[in-house]
Amino acid sequence: MASACITKRIQISDRWICYTLERKRVKNLNLRVRPDGTVAVSAPPRVPEAAVEQFVLRHGDFLLRALARQAAAQERAPGPRQYLPGERLPYLGGQVRLAVVQGEDSGAQLDGDRLRLTVPDPGDLAQRRRTAEAFFDAACRQRMQAVVDALLPAFTGEALPPVRLRFRRMTSRWGSCQPRTGVVCLNLYLIAVPPACMEYVALHELTHFLQPDHSPRFHALLARRMPDWQARRRALGQYRLTKEGIFLRGAAPASRAP
């Protein structure tokens, strides 16, 4: 079972870098620079912290290059969404165009590729954002529940616990799985990606009930139920998660140490 993450600090060249260290059931040390510029290290439970630190130092050049790419990417990142009339938002792999009208009660209605937002004060950004996010969040919960329900028969005969879905906005991962509790947490931003990518993320997390790590056995189990999972993962990689929302990727993806 993985332990809680701890934050470490290390000097590489003339720069101090913070990284999170998580103990996991993995065979090797792994180093990753996430799209938001944070650094994560995962290590087997019994590897000494001194060995982890030496591993990070050995990959110092990679780390500095990856962080430089992420810093440049952040400078090119889109600004906050304004939810203005005519603005286009990602939805199911395509886009919807906003229309904003005044009305007594807030709500949203989808008509083809047009999303009509009704708010008491169309000039209030907070009202526009809340109304749009409420629509997308509800749509994500409904669709992902249907996706998971459709995938579960493929696990008939396997020792899966009762699966419970939870949702939240995340900027570093699409989903997570807690095998002991049966909880699968899914990113609310999944409503932006194509249905095939939604299915991939759901199957990925369900497969973790059978194999908790990303070993060859995990990928074999994944391929057995979804032979084209790699193509779906590449399609998912076209989307970039940021604190401002989800965008088609125009910047560097997360970087892993070689």
Side-chain angles (χ1 to χ4, degrees):
M1 182 176 66
S3 64
C5 292
I6 60 173
T7 300
K8 306 288 290 182
R9 189 166 176 259
I10 193 169
Q11 186 174 11
I12 298 177
S13 186
D14 59 349
R15 179 174 177 180
W16 284 95
I17 294 173
C18 292
Y19 64 91
T20 59
L21 171 60
E22 183 179 7
R23 300 291 184 172
K24 302 176 68 174
R25 293 175 58 185
V26 294
K27 292 183 178 180
N28 302 307
L29 289 159
N30 295 288
L31 170 65
R32 182 164 68 106
V33 179
R34 299 189 181 107
D36 63 358
T38 58
V39 180
V41 178
S42 57
R46 296 185 180 180
V47 172
E49 287 190 16
V52 175
E53 184 172 303
Q54 288 302 313
F55 171 78
V56 176
L57 286 172
R58 285 199 305 272
H59 290 87
D61 289 342
F62 155 80
L63 192 54
L64 292 175
R65 290 195 303 270
L67 288 171
R69 289 196 300 269
Q70 295 295 356
Q74 289 297 322
E75 293 180 359
R76 302 195 300 270
R81 297 195 187 280
Q82 298 300 310
Y83 300 95
L84 292 169
E87 188 172 345
R88 294 184 177 274
L89 301 178
Y91 180 69
L92 296 179
Q95 291 183 324
V96 292
R97 181 169 52 87
L98 290 185
V100 183
V101 298
Q102 186 174 17
E104 184 176 346
D105 298 318
S106 296
Q109 183 175 4
L110 185 64
D111 181 13
D113 66 349
R114 182 169 176 258
L115 180 62
R116 179 187 176 96
L117 301 184
T118 301
V119 291
D121 180 4
D124 188 326
L125 170 59
Q127 289 183 18
R128 300 195 305 270
R129 179 189 295 112
R130 284 195 303 269
T131 304
E133 288 182 348
F135 168 82
F136 289 122
D137 290 355
C140 184
R141 289 185 172 93
Q142 181 181 15
R143 284 184 173 268
M144 291 307 300
Q145 183 66 65
V147 166
V148 170
D149 290 344
L151 289 171
L152 283 175
F155 292 85
T156 300
E158 303 284 4
L160 262 68
V163 177
R164 294 179 295 148
L165 300 186
R166 293 178 182 171
F167 295 86
R168 64 187 180 94
R169 289 184 181 83
M170 296 180 277
T171 59
S172 62
R173 60 176 63 185
W174 293 104
S176 63
C177 173
Q178 300 175 18
R180 293 187 64 185
T181 63
V183 171
V184 171
C185 185
L186 296 171
N187 197 330
L188 283 165
Y189 289 132
L190 281 166
I191 194 60
V193 309
C197 295
M198 291 178 160
E199 294 166 0
Y200 161 71
V201 171
L203 184 64
H204 183 112
E205 299 308 331
L206 291 174
T207 303
H208 276 311
F209 286 118
L210 307 181
Q211 184 69 30
D213 55 27
H214 293 104
S215 64
R217 180 175 183 267
F218 171 84
H219 291 114
L221 290 169
L222 194 61
R224 184 185 305 170
R225 295 172 174 85
M226 186 176 286
D228 65 339
W229 69 268
Q230 290 175 307
R232 297 182 190 223
R233 185 175 66 175
R234 286 194 296 270
L236 187 63
Q238 298 301 308
Y239 292 86
R240 180 180 178 219
L241 296 168
T242 77
K243 294 179 181 179
E244 305 298 343
I246 182 170
F247 301 86
L248 280 173
R249 187 178 293 280
S255 302
R256 292 180 181 272

